[in-house]
Structure formats: C-alpha cells, structure tokens
Amino acid sequence: MSESCLFCKIVSGAIPAGKIYEDDQVLAFHDIHPQTPVHALVIPKRHLSSLDDLQATDRGEAGHLLERVAHVARELGVADAGYRTVINTREHGGQEVDHLHIHILGGRRVGPMVSR
Ligand code: AMP
Ligand code: ZN
C-alpha cells in the first residue's frame, strides 16, 4: 500500500470504482475515461509501481494477474470478438498512474497500436 497511490486507494475503498472482479490478489474496475465501449483496468492489489517493478519471485502473482485479465475480458463479453491489452510503463510509455495496471480495450475494433 502506497499512501499517495490512487489505485491503492481504490483497493482500500477510500475512492470508489466500478468494480468488475475481485479476489485476494487482483481487482478489476471500469476506467473512468473509457477510450472504447469496454475499457477496464486490472491491477494487482499489492502496490507495484510499474511492470518494471516485477521480480522473478513474482512470477506466480504475475501469471495469476494475466489469467484473470483473460477471465475479466470474457466476463465483459469481449473475448470472442477480441480486445486490446495495454500496459504503459513510465513516462515514455504514457503511464499516468504509478500502480501497475493492464488495460482491456474492447467493444469495437481498436486502431493502430502506436499513435505518432
Ligand atoms: P495509464 O495512462 O496507463 O497510467 O492509465 C491510467 C488510467 O487510469 C487512465 O485510462 C485513466 O482514465 C484511469 N483512471 C484514472 N483515475 C481513475 C479512477 N479514479 N477510476 C478509474 N480509472 C481511473
Ligand atoms: Zn498503489
């Protein structure tokens, strides 16, 4: 838990979110500014600042997180048509919230992967 972290505050319930899925390790909720008809964020409950914080000892947790992304996408009804998953890391990656999160973008065909 990082006191100043927005997503840790969502995990603790201090800030409300449109929760989609939750277990002891993972939370999924709707992005507050959806870029596609379906736009969810899946996060580890444990504070990790970015993908770059992941260690070899976190492999089990990371595997669970990724499997739950697929589960949430299916629950949201976008799995068959397909969806984009995105992880932004630090400044050049466009990361705005410094708590590891995986975007699920679906509900329409998503455009080119990298905007110029
Ligand atoms: P990123 O640029 O990868 O760090 O993405 C951060 C995402 O968090 C953006 O898509 C924001 O719209 C989303 N976001 C910011 N604040 C909230 C919030 N309170 N609840 C849900 N999503 C949020
Ligand atoms: Zn956090």
Side-chain angles (χ1 to χ4, degrees):
M1 168 93 186
S2 166
E3 294 292 333
S4 59
C5 172
L6 177 67
F7 287 175
C8 282
K9 289 178 184 164
I10 288 178
V11 170
S12 75
I15 290 179
K19 288 186 185 177
I20 301 163
Y21 172 84
E22 180 170 20
D23 65 24
D24 58 329
Q25 293 177 34
V26 169
L27 178 66
F29 52 95
H30 295 285
D31 195 291
I32 203 165
H33 294 125
Q35 294 178 29
T36 45
V38 172
H39 186 174
L41 301 172
V42 186
I43 68 172
K45 286 188 168 177
R46 183 167 75 94
H47 180 84
L48 291 165
S49 296
S50 79
L51 188 65
D52 191 54
D53 271 19
L54 264 191
Q55 307 291 317
T57 48
D58 301 327
R59 281 176 185 154
E61 187 182 357
H64 176 70
L65 178 66
L66 192 58
E67 186 276 329
R68 290 292 88 184
V69 168
H71 172 81
V72 168
R74 185 152 290 285
E75 290 282 299
L76 289 169
V78 297
D80 287 342
Y83 53 91
R84 174 78 49 84
T85 42
V86 173
I87 302 175
N88 297 320
T89 301
R90 298 200 175 125
E91 189 184 346
H92 284 192
Q95 184 176 5
E96 290 178 356
V97 178
D98 290 338
H99 180 129
L100 175 61
H101 51 282
I102 302 175
H103 296 256
I104 298 173
L105 298 151
R108 67 165 167 81
R109 184 181 294 272
V110 181
M113 193 161 69
V114 177
S115 59
R116 290 162 199 279

